[in-house]
Structure formats: C-alpha cells, structure tokens
Amino acid sequence: MSLIDRYLHEVGRYLPRTKRGDIQTELRSSISDTLEDRYGSEPTEAQVEELLQELGRPRQVAASYHPESQYLVGPVLYPLFRMISWIVVVAVLGAQMLAWAIGIFVAGESFSILEIITSLVNSVPTSLGWLLITFMILQYFDAKPKFEEEPWDPSSLPEINPDEDLKRGEMIVGMVFGVLLLVLVTFFPQWVGFISAPQGKFYANPVILDYLPWIQIGLISGILLNIYMFWRGRLDWPARILKLVLSLYTIAVLALLVRGHNLWLAARSSSSLMDGLNAIESMDWGLVGMHAFRWGFLVALIVSTIEFLVTLYRLIKSNLGSDFSPKAVVMEKK
C-alpha cells in the first residue's frame, strides 16, 4: 500500500462520511499534480514523504476543509467531543434505566411514562449542554490535544489493515452494558442476585458480593479500554496488549467466581450437576439460582479463555509483521 493511500485513509478518518470520498479524490489529485510538477511522473518515496510533510498532519488537513469559525466545536476537538458525548449519554441513560428496572421489578415502585420522559428531558440534554459549554471554551482558547505538538513523520502512518478497524457501534453497546453492570454493583449491591420465577422471591448472591471489588476493577478497566480504542479508532498493538492483560484479569476473576460457587454449593451438599437437577425437582430455587450462576460463570470462563487465545494469536501475528519489524523499531526510535 503506497504512502499516499495511507495518508488519504488517515485523512478520511477525520472527515464526514458523506463528503469523505469527494475530498479524498480531490486531495489525491492535488497531491499527484504537485508531485508531477515538482519531480516528474515518477517521484521517489522520499519525495512523496517530503510533500506529505509539507501538507501536515492528516487531522489538520481534514480540519482545513471545515473552517473552525463555523463550528462551536471544530474538527480538531470534535472526535474527542463525540467520544465523550457518547460516554455521557450511556452513563446517564444506563444509570436511569437500571434505577427504573430495580424500582419496578424489585422494589415494586411504579413510574408513569410522563415521569420517565421528564427525567430524560432534564438529564440527558443538561449533561450534554454542560459538555458542549466546556468544549466551546476549549475551542475559544484554541485548545488542542498534546499529541498535535509532537513532530510528525509521514512514514509513521499506519498500514491500512481492515482487521484493525473497529466497529464503533459494537463498542458503544459494550460500554452500555459495562456502565449498566458497574452502576448495578456499585450503587445497588443489595440487588445483585436473582428472582425465582415461580415464587417471585429475590435471592441475593453472596459469592458475587464477596468478590465485588474485583468485579468493579474489571468493569472499570474494560470501560477505559473501550474509551481508548474508541479514541484510537483501530485495534493497534498497545490496545491488543491491554486487551490481553484485561482478558487475563477477567479469566482470573471468573475462575474465582466459579470456585466460590463450587465451595458455596459444596457446603450445602449440592455441588454436582445431579444435585442441581434434584434442586429443581424439589423447587429449592435458591440452590437452582446458584447452580445457574455457577454454570453461567463457567461458560463465560471458557469464552473468555478462547478470546484470550485469539487475541494472543493476533498479537503474535502482529509481532511477526510490520508493526514490530526491525525497520519499524528503528524508525520509531528516530
């Protein structure tokens, strides 16, 4: 993949989707004409790099197509603003939805549609409004991320690798569930458990409560990792290493939860699968729920282990590729 292609791909990451193709085509034509005027029909890689160095960072080039004066939040700050906006919306909606669910299904409270709509109208726009005011102030003082001040080298542009591109919709869904679970275990730990369908009775899960701090650390780490990847826009090798470490931590916590449920059930002489079936026949729903939790965590442990192995394989594959090649390491040191 040529350096120009990589440059245009990186510029496109900061352009509106509806105008991205036209702007990239125009920019490609401009670069080609300039290279031909200066160096002839076959410029060298060094000459291409020199021209791209003059053009500037891809983010700055993308921003030049949208004058800053026309925006409350300009293109330089907009990616960060958009990312934090989604996080704010997820946090506000997640906390409120969880509070309503607990109030309705556990505490037996009732909420009218008008109350729910009023709560949303008050909370979400207010939170986003304060966020917008903050970024308007940053825009007024021409604030820029620190990495914009670092020397930029066109040869450091990442290769175009579809495997490293992330689906942001899936990441947002992941953050939604992460925030929901974090809100639940942090603000409503007394409701961590299960409800038996026949009886409608709530049973707390003492094993989860015992490992609550470890679960909170894992959830917070997962949310922060998603924020980092959301900002980067790709699964680069630092993100893969962080994901690998988080996967190991998740596996360890899940193993502790499975072991804790095994010990809890063994103390009640109900540790085997047959014991679980007997608990269903005897309608001991407390034991049934704990068996279900144990098998759920066991399945999650198997899935997490598989994900860890897949991530490890991709990291090794990346290590053997261009990201960690001797040439790349030398260029990075320069």
Side-chain angles (χ1 to χ4, degrees):
M1 194 65 63
S2 71
L3 190 59
I4 296 177
D5 291 329
R6 291 156 55 191
Y7 185 82
L8 293 174
H9 179 78
E10 195 70 12
V11 171
R13 293 183 57 230
Y14 306 104
L15 293 172
R17 187 171 301 177
T18 56
K19 299 181 179 179
R20 184 179 301 162
D22 294 337
I23 293 176
Q24 286 176 318
T25 300
E26 177 185 342
L27 185 57
R28 181 187 294 274
S29 177
S30 176
I31 292 174
S32 298
D33 292 342
T34 303
L35 286 172
E36 185 173 359
D37 291 340
R38 288 189 185 182
Y39 310 112
S41 58
E42 296 183 0
T44 64
E45 189 79 4
Q47 291 169 339
V48 173
E49 184 175 330
E50 180 182 352
L51 176 59
L52 296 182
Q53 182 76 50
E54 293 179 11
L55 288 176
R57 297 175 182 274
R59 187 191 297 267
Q60 293 173 339
V61 173
S64 67
Y65 286 89
H66 303 278
E68 300 281 341
S69 59
Q70 297 181 5
Y71 296 89
L72 295 176
V73 180
V76 173
L77 290 175
Y78 178 72
L80 182 61
F81 171 76
R82 182 178 59 184
M83 179 188 69
I84 298 179
S85 296
W86 277 112
I87 296 172
V88 169
V89 171
V90 168
V92 173
L93 292 181
Q96 290 192 342
M97 289 173 59
L98 187 59
W100 294 330
I102 291 176
I104 294 173
F105 298 107
V106 178
E109 300 178 2
S110 61
F111 299 93
S112 66
I113 299 298
L114 181 60
E115 288 177 326
I116 294 175
I117 295 176
T118 301
S119 178
L120 290 176
V121 169
N122 289 334
S123 58
V124 175
T126 300
S127 301
L128 292 178
W130 282 110
L131 181 64
L132 178 60
I133 291 174
T134 301
F135 273 83
M136 286 173 59
I137 295 173
L138 295 175
Q139 182 69 44
Y140 178 80
F141 289 101
D142 196 26
K144 291 182 174 64
K146 288 185 177 181
F147 57 76
E148 294 291 339
E149 301 174 358
E150 300 175 357
W152 178 72
D153 184 1
S155 62
S156 65
L157 286 169
E159 295 288 346
I160 301 175
N161 187 354
D163 293 336
E164 292 187 351
D165 292 336
L166 299 174
K167 296 181 179 180
R168 299 201 169 195
E170 294 180 1
M171 295 183 62
I172 293 172
V173 172
M175 282 191 283
V176 168
F177 283 102
V179 171
L180 286 175
L181 289 175
L182 183 61
V183 171
L184 174 63
V185 300
T186 301
F187 297 103
F188 307 100
Q190 69 276 17
W191 297 118
V192 177
F194 53 94
I195 300 176
S196 66
Q199 300 173 336
K201 181 180 178 181
F202 176 80
Y203 294 90
N205 189 320
V207 176
I208 293 180
L209 294 178
D210 289 340
Y211 295 100
L212 205 56
W214 302 106
I215 296 174
Q216 290 171 321
I217 292 174
L219 290 173
I220 293 173
S221 301
I223 294 171
L224 293 177
L225 178 58
N226 277 332
I227 292 174
Y228 170 77
M229 292 190 297
F230 197 96
W231 169 248
R232 293 291 298 170
R234 61 169 59 91
L235 189 60
D236 52 11
W237 70 265
R240 285 180 176 174
I241 292 177
L242 292 174
K243 191 174 181 180
L244 199 65
V245 173
L246 182 59
S247 295
L248 281 174
Y249 180 86
T250 301
I251 290 172
V253 173
L254 288 172
L256 288 174
L257 289 170
V258 172
R259 178 177 178 274
H261 282 80
N262 286 336
L263 293 176
W264 191 93
L265 290 169
R268 288 153 182 81
S269 301
S270 183
S271 58
S272 67
L273 177 60
M274 187 59 65
D275 292 330
L277 296 176
N278 292 334
I280 296 177
E281 292 181 359
S282 62
M283 293 186 294
D284 189 341
W285 301 113
L287 284 178
V288 171
M290 294 300 286
H291 275 281
F293 264 102
R294 178 180 66 172
W295 285 105
F297 285 125
L298 182 59
V299 171
L301 177 61
I302 295 173
V303 172
S304 298
T305 303
I306 294 174
E307 290 181 349
F308 168 77
L309 295 175
V310 171
T311 304
L312 181 61
Y313 165 76
R314 290 178 176 174
L315 184 63
I316 294 174
K317 182 180 178 181
S318 176
N319 187 36
L320 297 176
S322 60
D323 287 345
F324 287 87
S325 64
K327 181 180 178 181
V329 173
V330 172
M331 295 177 65
E332 182 179 351
K333 289 182 178 179
K334 290 182 178 180

